[in-house]
Amino acid sequence: MSEAPELAAAQERIAAAPDEHALRQLEREYAGVVGARLAAIPSLPASERRAAGQSANLLKQAIEAAALRRHEALQAAALMAERLLGGIFDPTLPAPKPRRGSLHPITRVTRELEDLFTSMGWHVLDGPEVELERYNFDALNIPRDHPARDTMDTFRCDAEGKLVMRTHTSPVQVRAMERLKPPFRAIVPGKVFRNETKDASHEHTFHQVEGLAIDRDLSVGHLIGAMKTLLRGIFGRDIEIRLRPGYFPFVEPGFELDARCPFCQSGCSVCKQSTWIELLPCGMVHPNVLRAGGIDPEAWTGFAFGLGLSRLVMLRYGIDDVRLLLSGDLRFLEQFA
Ligand code: PHE
């Protein structure tokens, strides 16, 4: 009997089964063959029965082993096909983009202003947000009974009122004078706090950039020059300005600086049809403030300004509600990506 070719042929057919269905058909076919062989054994001469039984069993085992191998191969192929075609993994697709954050508009404009001023030799300074009343008021020529304290809507941090949330960045003027030897120039970007009722143009927390220059014989002309440079940096071109008198206890004289509306020629909603926008308060540093900072007002002069950064950012990006700035709302923030 030629067992080997028969086995090899069976194994070959099973290994070539194109799918599970064809494989099961072959398994049934060979089970029939093996069954018929075993059934025929009793009718064989006794001398041949043992060999016939062994050969039938050999065929059965070989077929089972071949069928199992083929079954596993078909399964692996099916899994691979599903992965490749079923969208679970397509190595030719571009990788999904990671979600990228972006700089907050206040951070952006702050950095621009820092670049502008450091390029002109100014320092960038920082000061505490929880501030001593002494720096926030007294050293700025705002004594305890001064009405300016009432207009500042101050958050107090302790019962005695020695600690306050700073209501402006001006206290850092005095801290700067104590730390730096004149002449010096510095800006101080930072958060300030006022106990205001919130609406589209008022927030309890907002941003300012303080500016302070101390030198010999500084005049209003130097202040105007610095403000024009500031505006050119912000708006990318020369902008006409005007000064109106303004009162702040820590400057004398004090001014409100208006800029020609950068968005229109003849009036728009931003400038309320006036073609001027109120940009920042400023002035010459009061001698009492220089003294509080340990600087001799006979020898040194100074000018200071307080840029409303939140307002500037709103102007720059056309934001009509200040509350959006610190809302943390991603729908708002993602527009600055
Ligand atoms: N600190 C003042 C404010 O917040 C602004 C200011 C700064 C005015 C510097 C003059 C000079 O209202």
Side-chain angles (χ1 to χ4, degrees), residues 104-110 113 199-203 205-207 234-235 262-263 269-272 277-279 307-326 332 336:
H104 193 286
I106 288 181
T107 308
R108 274 195 196 201
V109 176
T110 302
L113 292 173
D199 61 33
S201 42
H202 296 90
E203 248 293 14
T205 301
F206 54 101
H207 289 74
I234 294 171
F235 293 106
F263 307 107
S269 62
V270 175
C271 62
K272 302 198 185 78
I277 50 175
E278 201 179 306
L279 202 73
L307 180 68
L309 184 61
S310 302
R311 209 172 99 76
L312 178 67
V313 168
M314 291 169 71
L315 279 176
R316 168 77 162 272
Y317 294 106
I319 298 163
D320 58 7
D321 190 332
V322 67
R323 292 169 293 190
L324 285 168
L325 288 175
L326 298 180
F332 168 72
F336 301 93

Side-chain angles (χ1 to χ4, degrees), residues 119-190:
S119 78
M120 301 189 296
W122 293 53
H123 295 284
V124 176
L125 301 181
D126 220 352
E129 291 174 356
V130 176
E131 182 56 283
L132 290 167
E133 189 181 40
R134 185 160 65 80
Y135 284 107
N136 197 83
F137 294 120
D138 302 75
L140 290 170
N141 201 30
I142 314 175
R144 185 162 283 278
D145 52 2
H146 197 284
R149 289 207 183 193
D150 302 336
T151 63
M152 285 279 207
D153 303 309
T154 313
F155 286 117
R156 307 209 160 265
C157 300
D158 60 355
E160 309 93 86
K162 284 204 159 49
L163 278 181
V164 298
M165 299 303 288
R166 67 176 178 195
T167 55
H168 50 178
T169 41
S170 299
V172 191
Q173 285 190 26
V174 184
R175 289 181 175 275
M177 291 178 202
E178 289 174 346
R179 248 176 50 194
L180 301 171
K181 275 178 83 78
F184 68 85
R185 298 181 290 267
I187 57 163
V188 185

Side-chain angles (χ1 to χ4, degrees), residues 192-241:
V192 301
F193 311 86
R194 290 185 198 178
N195 192 0
E196 309 232 23
T197 306
K198 285 169 69 151
D199 61 33
S201 42
H202 296 90
E203 248 293 14
H204 52 64
T205 301
F206 54 101
H207 289 74
Q208 290 186 336
V209 179
E210 193 80 8
L212 174 67
I214 303 287
D215 209 328
R216 298 196 193 271
D217 301 318
L218 287 180
S219 69
V220 174
H222 294 106
L223 168 61
I224 292 174
M227 295 304 94
K228 285 190 163 168
T229 308
L230 168 61
L231 284 171
R232 204 179 310 127
I234 294 171
F235 293 106
R237 61 189 162 86
D238 286 320
I239 300 231
E240 194 190 344
I241 62 166

